[in-house]
Amino acid sequence: ANVGAVKFVNSAFWGPAAQIAQTDGRGTVTFSQCHFDSWDNHVTVDGRSYSHNGTAAMEQRGGKLIVTASEFVGQSDAPVHLNVGAEAAKTIFTNNIIRGKLVIQRSGKQGKVVVAGNADDGDDAGLDTVTS
């Protein structure tokens, strides 16, 4: 579990991958100006293809998370970009470019979540939403 600051700046996370990141602890994890591509790819038992089960690109289990000025290029029809867990303290998800419609799930209500200024392909005129 993270207790200090971890910063990923101008980094590319290419898939196929099951998940981009799982964050936890008391510290702050920052992703700034990053590229996230091809998550939610789980190798099938026969090892010849991938299955998709709705795994979020990022899962915030605890601590603080900042994701800003980044690009999400998911390959599934309805990818989950971020899952904010019940123990998450603070979350900032701002000014990102999203292929498809932005999907953020929230498991708990304890921490503060700020979602703003994201450009997705949804029909809601860019309004950001978080689902519980």
Side-chain angles (χ1 to χ4, degrees), residues 74-88:
Q75 292 181 328
S76 67
D77 290 338
V80 177
H81 300 93
L82 174 62
N83 184 338
V84 181
E87 300 300 316

Side-chain angles (χ1 to χ4, degrees), residues 5 17-18 21 23 26 35 39 41 44 47 51 68-69 71 79 85 88 91 94 102 106 109 113-114 120 127 130 132:
T23 65
R26 295 185 318 271
H35 178 89
W39 65 92
N41 291 287
T44 58
S51 65
T68 188
E71 181 179 25
T91 309
T94 59
L102 175 62
R106 186 173 184 188
K109 300 281 188 194
V113 177
V114 175
D120 69 357
L127 298 176
V130 178
S132 296

Side-chain angles (χ1 to χ4, degrees), residues 21-122:
Q22 292 179 350
T23 65
D24 201 352
R26 295 185 318 271
T28 301
V29 178
T30 302
F31 293 90
S32 177
Q33 299 176 343
C34 294
H35 178 89
F36 307 107
D37 195 351
S38 192
W39 65 92
D40 190 26
N41 291 287
H42 304 269
V43 177
T44 58
V45 176
D46 65 10
R48 295 183 180 173
S49 62
Y50 297 99
S51 65
H52 311 285
N53 64 11
T55 303
M58 298 182 171
E59 180 181 359
Q60 181 188 10
R61 294 180 178 178
K64 296 171 284 293
L65 176 65
I66 301 169
V67 182
T68 188
S70 295
E71 181 179 25
F72 287 79
V73 184
Q75 292 181 328
S76 67
D77 290 338
V80 177
H81 300 93
L82 174 62
N83 184 338
V84 181
E87 300 300 316
K90 296 178 183 172
T91 309
I92 298 174
F93 193 94
T94 59
N95 303 320
N96 299 293
I97 293 176
I98 311 293
R99 179 189 289 170
K101 184 162 175 55
L102 175 62
V103 179
I104 296 177
Q105 299 172 333
R106 186 173 184 188
S107 302
K109 300 281 188 194
Q110 288 99 331
K112 175 81 173 177
V113 177
V114 175
V115 178
N118 297 293
D120 69 357
D121 297 322

